[in-house]
Structures are given as structure tokens and as C-alpha cells.
Amino acid sequence: SRDRGLSRLPADSLVSALRDVHPELGVGHLEDHALACARFKPFLKSWLRHLDYEDFPCVVDLYHLLPGDVAEVAPTPPWSVLFLGYPRIEPAEKLKRIRAHARPGDWTETLDDDSLMTLVERAIGESIHLASGCAELGLPFIDTSGDFATAMARAEAGIR
């Protein structure tokens, strides 16, 4: 995204900040995906509207958007939306990749393999659901199950 003059805005940091400062909103990372998206949706819709108003070209990297909410939350134009996921990866392979690429102090370090595997299996299920929703609505979905670098190159090429 940097070679295209776009800043990357990781929405995970905003979700964490909302969780820390306003826990009563129930916005978080580890609950049911649809519930997490529903709770974050009003904030995301407003944030994207403000980013558009500020004419701030960016890539918003987030987990908290469902294909069925794109038209309302991130209408095209001005937004180009694509989804990434790993619906075809074996859980053990995903766990291995997570462990290999974790940064020092990564939240996954606090989990044993069994606990992390539970989250991996859930995330694979969510990826299957996202891929299906994208197919139904004609939205782009990039499968990162195989070669991650190649998939990311395809994703970057899909950013207008």
C-alpha cells in the first residue's frame, strides 16, 4: 500500500482502544465474529465517512466488517473493499505460521497451542463464511491459505 501512496490504518488498534476506554460498548476481538462486527459497525461507518471527508487515501485493515454490511458501511465509491481469509488452510499449518511470525510480546504468546488452535479453527470457519458471503455478493475475496506473499501481492494489485 505504501508504493501506492496509501497509509495502512490497522483497525485492531482502534478496537483495542475502544475496549480499553469504553468496555461498556462491548467492542472487542475474541467474541463471535458477527457480534464483533455489529458492535463496531456504527463506529466504523462514522470513521470511514470522516476519512473520506478528510480526503485521506488509506487502506483500512480490519476484521470487523461482514460482506453484507459493505454497501451501508463502506460504499463504493469512494471505498474499494476486498476481503482476505484462509478458508482452505489446515489448522496445524495456520498455527505453525502464527507461531513463526509472531512479534515479541505478541498476544498469541500467552496462549498454549490448544487454546490458540481453538481460535485458529474458529478463524478458518469465519474465513469460509466470508468467502461464501463475498461470492454471493460479488465482492473480491483473496485466499491467503497458500503462499501468503503471492496472495498479498494479489490483494495490493486489487487496491485502486
Side-chain angles (χ1 to χ4, degrees), residues 46-101:
S46 177
W47 186 41
L48 294 178
R49 188 181 74 248
H50 286 284
L51 288 171
D52 181 45
Y53 175 78
E54 296 293 337
D55 195 27
F56 185 78
C58 60
V59 172
V60 179
D61 176 0
L62 74 152
Y63 163 81
H64 293 77
L65 180 65
L66 294 172
D69 292 332
V70 168
E72 176 187 351
V73 176
T76 313
W79 297 97
S80 296
V81 176
L82 60 90
F83 288 84
L84 290 90
Y86 35 89
R88 297 178 305 107
I89 198 166
E90 289 297 321
E93 175 62 22
K94 184 62 181 174
L95 177 70
K96 183 175 135 186
R97 290 182 190 181
I98 289 170
R99 293 291 192 212
H101 297 286

Side-chain angles (χ1 to χ4, degrees), residues 11-76:
D12 277 353
S13 59
L14 292 172
V15 169
S16 294
L18 281 170
R19 181 199 61 218
D20 294 348
V21 177
H22 291 288
E24 72 278 6
L25 295 175
V27 174
H29 298 283
L30 299 178
E31 65 272 336
D32 172 81
H33 186 226
L35 180 61
C37 293
R39 288 179 175 166
F40 190 62
K41 184 173 153 180
F43 177 78
L44 179 61
K45 184 176 178 180
S46 177
W47 186 41
L48 294 178
R49 188 181 74 248
H50 286 284
L51 288 171
D52 181 45
Y53 175 78
E54 296 293 337
D55 195 27
F56 185 78
C58 60
V59 172
V60 179
D61 176 0
L62 74 152
Y63 163 81
H64 293 77
L65 180 65
L66 294 172
D69 292 332
V70 168
E72 176 187 351
V73 176
T76 313

Side-chain angles (χ1 to χ4, degrees), residues 129-159:
H129 180 72
L130 284 177
S132 174
C134 287
E136 287 174 21
L137 296 170
L139 296 169
F141 180 86
I142 306 293
D143 187 345
T144 64
S145 299
D147 179 18
F148 187 77
T150 300
M152 292 309 294
R154 283 196 328 271
E156 286 190 15
I159 298 170

